[in-house]
């Protein structure tokens, strides 16, 4: 060891490390609780399949069984995930018989989902189809929006079999895609590519979707010359010309989608929907120019929105630059479709009222469905009609057998032959601890069981009609559950197509062209509130360039909308400014004088722009943390000036009150003083100066009236301070009077000299034999006289200014004399007389100024 001391050091370090590890191993056990095992995220009675451990292996098997699955990746601690859970469950109850709902805990560290996907936020919603990729749901996370999206996803294309259906299809959107395929051919690859393209377009934007349609009639396809062969895709646009997919392009999904996005027409009225993340979608539209924003509740499962339809008709007329008949036809068809939608909704409400009343009277009866089991091998009129009944032991199914897929009943026609027996053949189809489904089958004539609309209808058709009525009523019930009013404005159902003359094509004839967008009032009400509106069908025009907002306060009808836009184009609208509902006062009260006044948009003119008062205005917002800390400083300064009634301290909530652009605050908190009689010379407190009480008092005094400064100075002065200021005032008076006497003497001498010059000029001009040299002397004397007259005017101005200063100094002296207190005023008068005699003697000794 002696030869190798480094080895000794290494040995000692190892021993020390070993001893330290032993000592720490015997320390107190960790008080941190182990991570709890995940539990089910949804209720035990939920129809949704939940994977709390983040398993992904069973997902493919479930998709193979149900074709379509709606998946939610969640984190159990996430507030948004917990909020979405109820909406997810409501959507599963409504459309769970068509789409399988699956929830996966993608936060559990040991789960497969956590290892495969890297999510930076939760939750995420996806749609999974067999043999296809995941489609992201980008809509509003609410039950009605999820149901509408999935319903469109199940039927992404409209099948068109008549001319009327084609006209209605081309009317309902500004860009539509129509395809024609030879359905008799066994090769369906072109149709499949078209179908996949419709899914991608729908997943890209559910609200500004481009509808896809397939013409099934060759006769209808031949009417349109652009559709000449199969396969053919036609891109129809409301204002622009119709295009046909080029035949030399590859007929694949990606190429079709690329071609559509390249040539599509932007929606005349575009829906702006925020998914909860920070975006610049609204800012992008507003920056393009003046924008008309419609606030209305999107009810996606109740049909088209009537308010947006009316605004779209006005916008189509606004952009109809060439006065095309095609656009007029679209407007006409849109009016008819809106009228028919209102009639249908009124009838639906009436039918649902009857349906719900019948359901209430038959609550205690058996809940059964009549299912006709056809046996196509038998040519008899007799068929087995099975009454399928459900018994809810745990009230799992709210509406009995409705919503249960009939395919799951496994009614085999081969085993249910028509019989002549008079007894009921009962069989249990499904049985578990929660519910039981049974069927009672018998032989019936199915041709003339009942009649509906004058034609024979069997029990199968009757059941289908009842299911349709109940489906529509369930939609109405879901809307009510989600908070929709379901009111129908019949004033929007007018079939009259109005002509507005000069308004047609106005968007192409002015440099103040407006854009049109719509926003959901139910889930994005914060935007409407910030703009000063809040009711259904509110219309706001935002002019970002001029920082002005305009609100249409009249009824939402076409004529008023046209006048509103025309008046904006002609500069005949006045901006609307938001104002708080009440002008409450804050701060403590000293006597009858309010320390801080709360200013609103309505009271800004009376309080802040008051001519005879200095107003110190404090801009703040409710979300500003610095404002809360600064409020105490501002209140302390206001209390300091509480005896000065010519200074007003006020504050304004800039988040709830709009002001003209010249009075808006640039940052928060900010202080602006508006001086008396000089409101246009307002001053802002410097941002680089600390907001302290001394600095703020100094800022106010620097810009306040002279009377306020003098009074504040006297208030701050002690006896010694008053004595020093009194002496300074006396010296100032003496100096000013001395300068005043000198100026007056100069003015008198100058006047005498000017008179002499004028006499010389007259004498020179009076001589008859005026020579050239004499004329030049005369002109020189005249110019000298004019110059001296100007100088005399300057002297008189200085005399007036000095006289004012003397008066101010004497006023200060009188104020100081009034605040002396114990000092005798006789002594002060003697001092003043001595100074005045001294000034008089000096003035007598002064010599006259000679030029």
């Amino acid at each position: 060891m002696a030869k190798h001391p480094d080895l000794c050091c290494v040995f000692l370090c190892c021993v020390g490390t070993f001893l330290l590890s032993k000592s720490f191993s015997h320390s107190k056990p960790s008080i941190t609780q182990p991570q709890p095992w995940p539990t089910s995220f949804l209720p035990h009675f939920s129809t949704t399949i939940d994977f709390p451990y983040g398993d992904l292996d069973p997902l493919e098997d479930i998709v193979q069984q149900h074709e379509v699955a709606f998946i939610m990746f969640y984190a159990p601690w996430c507030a948004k995930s917990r909020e979405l859970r109820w909406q997810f469950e409501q959507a599963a109850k409504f459309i769970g018989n068509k789409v399988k709902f699956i929830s996966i805990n993608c936060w559990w560290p040991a789960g497969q989902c956590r290892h495969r996907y890297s999510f930076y936020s939760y939750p995420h919603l996806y749609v999974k189809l067999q043999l296809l990729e995941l489609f992201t749901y980008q809509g509003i996370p609410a039950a009605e929006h999820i149901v509408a999206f999935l319903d469109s996803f199940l039927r992404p294309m409209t099948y068109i079999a008549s001319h009327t259906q084609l006209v209605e299809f081309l009317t309902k959107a500004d860009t539509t895609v129509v395809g024609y395929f030879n359905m008799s051919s066994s090769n369906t690859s072109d149709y499949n590519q078209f179908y996949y393209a419709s899914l991608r377009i729908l997943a890209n934007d559910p609200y500004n979707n481009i509808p896809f349609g397939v013409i099934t009639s060759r006769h209808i396809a031949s009417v349109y010359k652009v559709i000449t062969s199969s396969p053919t895709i036609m891109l129809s646009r409301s204002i622009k010309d119709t295009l046909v997919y080029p035949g030399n392009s590859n007929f694949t999904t990606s190429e079709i989608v690329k071609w559509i996005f390249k040539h599509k027409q932007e929606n005349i009225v575009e829906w702006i929907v925020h998914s909860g993340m920070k975006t610049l979608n609204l800012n992008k539209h507003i920056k393009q120019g003046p924008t008309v924003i419609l606030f209305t509740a999107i009810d996606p499962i109740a049909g088209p929105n009537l308010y947006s339809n009316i605004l779209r008709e006005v916008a189509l007329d606004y952009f109809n630059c060439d006065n095309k008949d095609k656009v007029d036809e679209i407007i006409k068809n849109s009016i008819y479709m809106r009228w028919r939608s209102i009639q249908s909704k009124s009838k639906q409400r009436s039918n649902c009222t009857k349906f719900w009343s019948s359901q209430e009277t038959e609550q205690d009866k058996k809940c059964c469905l009549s299912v006709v089991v056809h046996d196509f091998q038998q040519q008899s009129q007799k068929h087995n009609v099975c009454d399928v009944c459900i018994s809810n032991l745990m009230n799992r199914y709210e509406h009995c057998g409705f919503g249960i897929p009939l395919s799951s009943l496994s009614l085999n026609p081969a085993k249910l032959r028509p019989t002549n027996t008079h007894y009921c053949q009962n069989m249990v189809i499904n049985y578990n601890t929660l519910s039981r489904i049974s069927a009672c089958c018998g032989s019936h004539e199915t041709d003339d069981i009942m009649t509906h609309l004058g034609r024979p209808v069997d029990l199968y058709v009757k059941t289908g009609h009842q299911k349709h009525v109940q489906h529509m009523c369930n939609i109405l019930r879901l809307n009510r559950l989600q908070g929709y009013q379901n009111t129908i404005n019949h004033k929007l159902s007018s079939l009259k197509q109005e002509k507005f003359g000069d308004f047609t094509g106005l968007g192409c004839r002015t440099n103040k062209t407006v854009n049109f967008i719509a926003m959901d009032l139910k889930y994005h009400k914060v935007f409407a509130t910030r703009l000063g509106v809040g009711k259904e069908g509110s219309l706001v025009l935002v002019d970002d360039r001029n920082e002005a907002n305009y609100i249409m306060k009249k009824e939402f009808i076409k004529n008023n909308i046209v006048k509103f836009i025309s008046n904006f184009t002609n500069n005949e609208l006045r901006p609307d400014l938001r104002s708080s509902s009440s002008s409450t006062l804050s701060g403590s009260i000293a006597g009858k004088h309010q320390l801080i006044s709360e200013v609103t948009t309505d009271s800004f003119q009376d309080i802040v722009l008051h001519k005879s008062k200095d107003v110190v205005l404090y801009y703040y917002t409710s979300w500003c943390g610095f404002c809360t800390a600064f409020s105490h400083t501002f209140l302390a300064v206001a209390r300091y000036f509480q005896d000065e009634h010519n200074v007003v301290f006020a504050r304004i909530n800039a988040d709830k009150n709009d002001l003209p652009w010249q009075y808006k605050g640039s940052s928060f908190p900010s202080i602006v003083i508006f001086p008396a009689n000089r409101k246009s010379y307002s001053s802002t407190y410097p941002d680089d100066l600390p907001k302290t009480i001394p600095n703020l008092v100094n800022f106010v005094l620097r810009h306040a009236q002279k009377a306020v400064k003098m009074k504040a100075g006297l208030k701050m002065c002690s006896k010694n301070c008053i004595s020093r200021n009194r002496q300074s005032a006396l010296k100032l008076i003496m100096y000013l009077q001395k300068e005043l006497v000198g100026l007056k003497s100069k003015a008198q001498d100058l006047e005498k000299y000017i008179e002499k010059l004028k006499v010389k000029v007259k004498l020179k001009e009076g001589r008859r034999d005026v020579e050239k040299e004499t004329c030049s002397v005369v002109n020189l004397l005249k110019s000298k006289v004019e110059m001296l007259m100007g100088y005399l005017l300057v002297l008189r101005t200085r005399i007036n200014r000095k006289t004012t200063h003397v008066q101010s100094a004497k006023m200060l002296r009188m104020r100081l004399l009034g605040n002396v207190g114990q000092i005798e005023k006789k002594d002060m008068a003697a001092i003043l007389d001595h100074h005045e005699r001294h000034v008089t003697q000096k003035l007598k000794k002064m010599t006259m100024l000679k030029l």
Side-chain angles (χ1 to χ4, degrees):
M1 289 291 180
K3 295 181 179 181
H4 301 283
D6 52 345
L7 295 178
C8 181
C9 294
V10 171
F11 175 76
L12 292 176
C13 291
C14 293
V15 172
T17 305
F18 176 76
L19 294 176
L20 287 174
S21 62
K22 282 293 184 181
S23 61
F24 280 115
S25 63
H26 294 289
S27 59
K28 295 182 179 179
S30 175
I31 61 174
T32 304
Q33 293 183 355
Q35 187 177 9
W37 291 93
T39 58
S40 179
F41 191 62
L42 297 169
H44 67 279
F45 55 82
S46 173
T47 57
T48 301
I49 300 177
D50 185 29
F51 294 104
Y53 292 93
D55 300 328
L56 294 178
D57 292 336
L59 186 60
E60 291 296 333
D61 297 335
I62 296 174
V63 174
Q64 291 295 332
Q65 295 176 5
H66 297 86
E67 296 184 359
V68 182
F70 191 65
I71 307 170
M72 174 178 65
F73 296 104
Y74 68 89
W77 49 263
C78 175
K80 289 186 177 180
S81 298
R82 292 175 175 272
E83 184 180 356
L84 178 61
R85 176 171 49 183
W86 186 86
Q87 300 288 344
F88 195 76
E89 180 66 19
Q90 286 297 116
K93 288 181 179 179
F94 189 87
I95 202 172
N97 58 336
K98 301 177 182 178
V99 179
K100 195 62 183 176
F101 281 67
I102 302 172
S103 58
I104 301 176
N105 182 358
C106 210
W107 178 79
W108 179 244
Q112 294 177 344
C113 182
R114 181 70 176 271
H115 293 286
R116 184 178 300 182
Y117 302 108
S118 298
F119 294 125
Y120 295 100
S121 61
Y122 296 95
H124 287 270
L125 299 174
Y126 293 91
V127 181
K128 176 66 177 176
L129 274 73
Q130 290 182 3
L131 305 178
L132 292 178
E133 71 273 15
L134 288 172
F135 293 92
T136 306
Y137 173 69
Q138 300 181 7
I140 297 175
E144 69 275 20
H145 291 266
I146 294 174
V147 168
F149 173 77
L150 292 176
D151 192 54
S152 300
F153 210 82
L154 293 172
R155 294 187 295 272
M157 299 187 298
T158 303
Y159 295 96
I160 303 168
S162 65
H163 177 74
T164 303
Q165 292 178 350
L166 180 60
V167 170
E168 292 181 356
F169 178 79
L170 298 177
T171 301
K172 65 181 182 180
D174 295 313
T175 303
T176 53
V177 181
V178 180
Y180 174 69
F181 304 91
N182 186 8
M183 295 299 183
S184 60
S185 175
S186 58
N187 185 9
T188 61
S189 60
D190 295 334
Y191 175 81
N192 292 338
Q193 296 298 323
F194 188 72
Y195 173 78
Y196 299 150
S198 66
L199 293 178
R200 287 192 183 180
I201 295 289
L202 175 62
N204 179 72
D205 192 347
Y207 301 99
N208 298 294
N209 184 36
I210 301 175
F212 277 63
V214 176
I215 297 179
T216 59
S217 171
R218 188 176 183 83
H219 172 71
I220 300 300
S222 63
V223 172
Y224 292 86
K225 297 180 181 180
V226 293
I227 301 178
T228 56
S229 61
S230 173
T232 303
I233 299 177
M234 179 181 69
L235 185 69
S236 177
R237 301 176 292 184
S238 58
I239 294 180
K240 300 180 181 180
D241 297 331
T242 301
L243 300 178
V244 179
Y245 188 75
N248 56 355
S249 300
N250 295 331
F251 208 90
T252 60
T253 300
S254 58
E255 291 296 326
I256 294 173
V257 171
K258 187 186 301 182
W259 177 75
I260 291 173
F261 281 137
K262 180 180 179 181
H263 299 286
K264 72 171 184 175
Q265 173 189 304
E266 296 296 334
N267 287 347
I268 299 295
V269 179
E270 185 170 354
W271 284 98
I272 303 297
V273 178
H274 298 277
S275 59
M277 306 294 290
K278 290 184 178 180
T279 63
L280 295 175
N281 291 339
L282 183 59
N283 180 72
K284 178 184 68 175
H285 287 82
I286 292 177
K287 290 296 182 182
Q288 291 177 355
T291 305
V292 174
I293 306 177
L294 168 66
F295 289 98
T296 178
I298 305 177
D299 195 355
I301 60 177
N305 186 277
L306 304 179
Y307 291 95
S308 65
N309 280 1
I310 290 179
L311 185 62
R312 176 174 176 254
E313 294 164 11
V314 173
L316 283 170
D317 196 19
Y318 181 76
F319 289 111
N320 188 11
C321 304
D322 300 328
N323 201 9
K324 296 180 180 179
D325 296 334
K326 172 185 176 182
V327 178
D328 293 336
E329 190 68 20
I330 291 176
I331 295 174
K332 179 181 177 181
N333 295 331
S334 177
I335 293 173
Y336 173 73
M337 291 171 63
R338 186 174 70 254
W339 173 82
R340 195 175 63 181
S341 175
I342 292 177
Q343 302 301 320
S344 175
K345 288 182 179 180
S346 300
K347 185 177 179 180
Q348 175 187 344
R349 294 183 63 180
S350 177
N351 292 339
C352 290
T353 302
K354 296 178 182 178
F355 176 79
W356 288 329
S357 62
S358 64
Q359 290 290 102
E360 292 174 359
T361 56
E362 298 181 0
Q363 282 183 353
D364 298 331
K365 295 183 179 181
K366 275 189 176 182
C367 186
C368 303
L369 282 173
S370 296
V371 181
V372 179
V373 183
H374 293 280
D375 188 357
F376 297 100
Q377 298 178 359
Q378 300 289 333
Q379 301 298 326
S380 172
Q381 296 290 335
K382 290 182 177 294
H383 295 279
N384 276 4
V385 178
C386 297
D387 292 332
V388 183
C389 304
I390 184 170
S391 174
N392 299 323
L393 304 181
M394 297 291 293
N395 293 326
R396 182 173 181 178
Y397 301 102
E398 183 181 356
H399 298 298
C400 307
F402 294 100
I404 302 173
L406 297 179
S407 59
S408 65
L409 300 181
S410 302
L411 300 180
N412 190 350
K415 297 181 180 180
L416 299 176
R417 298 291 183 185
T419 59
N420 296 322
T421 57
H422 298 286
Y423 59 89
C424 184
Q425 296 178 344
N426 287 294
M427 56 182 181
V428 177
I429 297 172
N430 182 26
Y431 181 81
N432 56 39
T433 58
L434 299 178
S435 63
R436 184 184 66 181
I437 302 174
S438 62
C440 178
C441 303
S443 179
H444 298 279
E445 295 282 349
T446 58
D447 282 348
D448 297 307
I449 296 178
M450 63 168 292
T451 58
H452 179 66
L453 298 177
R455 60 184 178 87
V457 180
D458 58 15
L459 284 178
Y460 183 78
V461 177
K462 178 184 178 182
T463 302
H465 175 70
Q466 291 176 347
K467 289 182 65 177
H468 175 72
V469 172
Q470 183 162 6
H471 176 73
M472 300 305 295
C473 295
N474 287 343
I475 290 177
L476 190 61
R477 180 173 291 173
L478 178 61
N479 283 345
R480 291 181 177 179
L481 184 65
Q482 293 296 104
Y484 292 94
Q485 299 296 327
N486 291 321
T487 57
I488 300 175
N489 189 355
H490 291 277
K491 293 181 180 180
L492 306 180
S493 62
S494 175
L495 285 171
K496 183 180 179 182
Q497 184 175 2
E498 300 175 281
K499 295 289 185 179
F500 300 104
D502 295 338
F503 185 78
T504 302
L506 180 61
C508 308
R509 302 193 306 268
T510 178
N511 58 355
K512 297 180 66 175
T513 303
V514 301
N515 304 314
F516 297 86
I517 63 175
M519 298 190 69
D520 181 42
L521 183 63
K522 186 175 187 297
Y523 294 99
H524 301 145
K525 193 172 183 179
V526 61
F527 295 96
T529 304
R530 291 293 299 270
L531 291 173
V533 296
K535 67 177 183 178
E536 178 73 10
S538 300
L539 206 65
V540 181
L541 197 155
V542 178
D543 187 1
D544 180 70
R545 181 178 180 182
N546 297 317
E547 298 185 3
N549 300 333
Y550 307 90
I551 301 174
M552 191 184 78
K553 299 179 181 179
K554 295 184 179 180
E555 187 180 7
F556 191 92
I557 58 176
K558 276 189 178 182
N559 192 29
N560 292 337
I561 298 174
V562 169
K563 289 182 179 179
F564 178 67
I565 298 174
S566 300
N567 290 339
F568 170 76
T569 305
N570 299 327
N571 298 320
E572 297 176 359
L573 285 182
R574 293 185 60 185
D576 289 275
L577 303 175
R578 291 179 304 133
S579 180
S580 301
S581 58
S582 60
S583 57
T584 57
L585 298 176
S586 63
S588 60
I589 299 178
K592 298 181 179 180
H593 184 56
Q594 184 70 31
L595 286 183
I596 300 177
S597 301
E598 189 75 19
V599 179
T600 64
T601 304
D602 298 332
S603 61
F604 184 84
Q605 182 73 26
D606 298 332
I607 298 177
V608 178
L609 301 183
H610 195 286
K611 290 185 177 180
S612 61
K613 294 185 178 181
D614 296 316
V615 181
V616 184
L617 186 60
Y618 162 40
Y619 293 86
Y620 76 99
T621 61
S622 56
W623 47 263
C624 173
F626 295 103
C627 299
T628 304
F630 176 71
S631 297
H632 304 285
T633 303
F634 189 74
L635 182 61
V637 176
R639 187 177 289 110
Y640 182 82
F641 288 93
Q642 63 184 357
D643 295 331
E644 184 53 58
H645 297 279
N646 289 326
V647 179
V648 176
F649 283 78
R651 69 174 190 173
I652 184 170
N653 189 340
D655 200 31
K656 296 183 179 180
N657 296 275
D658 292 333
L659 297 175
W661 65 268
Q662 62 268 31
Y663 298 121
K664 288 185 177 180
S666 57
S667 61
F668 307 103
S670 60
I671 305 295
V672 179
I673 185 169
F674 295 86
N677 303 315
R678 297 178 294 119
K679 298 298 180 180
S680 59
Y681 293 93
S682 59
S683 299
T684 305
Y685 189 87
D687 293 334
D688 56 346
L689 189 64
K691 292 181 174 63
T692 60
I693 294 178
N695 290 342
L696 192 56
V697 170
N698 188 24
F699 172 74
V700 174
L701 291 177
R702 189 184 306 121
H703 300 90
Q705 304 176 63
K706 292 182 179 179
V708 175
K709 295 179 181 179
M710 188 176 295
K711 189 173 181 179
L714 293 175
K715 180 180 178 181
M716 290 185 289
C717 260
S718 61
K719 291 183 179 180
N720 294 331
C721 173
I722 292 175
S723 178
R724 287 196 305 270
N725 286 328
R726 185 178 64 251
Q727 296 294 334
S728 299
L730 292 175
K731 293 179 181 179
L732 180 62
I733 292 173
M734 181 186 67
Y735 175 75
L736 291 174
Q737 286 182 343
K738 177 181 177 181
E739 283 197 344
L740 184 60
V741 172
L743 290 174
K744 287 182 178 180
S745 176
K746 286 182 180 181
Q748 291 175 0
D749 293 343
L750 189 60
E751 288 177 355
K752 292 178 181 180
Y753 185 69
I754 290 173
E755 291 296 331
K756 291 180 180 180
L757 289 177
K758 286 181 178 180
V759 171
K760 287 183 179 181
V761 170
K762 289 182 180 180
L763 292 174
K764 293 287 185 182
E765 289 179 346
R767 295 177 57 183
R768 295 182 179 178
D769 53 345
V770 179
E771 299 178 356
K772 293 183 179 180
E773 295 181 359
T774 307
C775 292
S776 61
V777 172
V778 170
N779 294 333
L780 181 61
L781 289 174
K782 287 183 178 180
S783 60
K784 197 171 184 179
V785 168
E786 292 178 358
M787 181 184 68
L788 293 174
M789 290 292 291
Y791 183 62
L792 179 62
L793 183 61
V794 173
L795 286 177
R796 288 175 178 173
T797 305
R798 292 178 63 186
I799 289 171
N800 295 333
R801 189 184 304 121
K802 294 296 180 180
T803 304
T804 305
H805 291 172
V806 170
Q807 293 176 356
S808 300
K810 288 182 177 180
M811 185 182 300
L812 176 61
R813 185 186 64 178
M814 297 303 296
R815 285 181 176 270
L816 291 171
L817 289 173
N819 289 272
V820 168
Q822 301 298 328
I823 299 178
E824 295 184 1
K825 295 184 179 180
K826 291 182 179 180
D827 298 337
M828 291 296 304
I831 294 173
L832 290 176
D833 291 340
H834 171 74
H835 280 283
E836 288 178 1
R837 286 194 302 271
H838 179 70
V839 170
T840 305
Q841 291 175 1
K842 280 200 171 187
L843 288 176
K844 288 181 180 179
K845 295 179 181 179
M846 290 179 63
T847 59
M848 302 296 292
L849 178 64
K850 296 182 180 180
L851 297 176

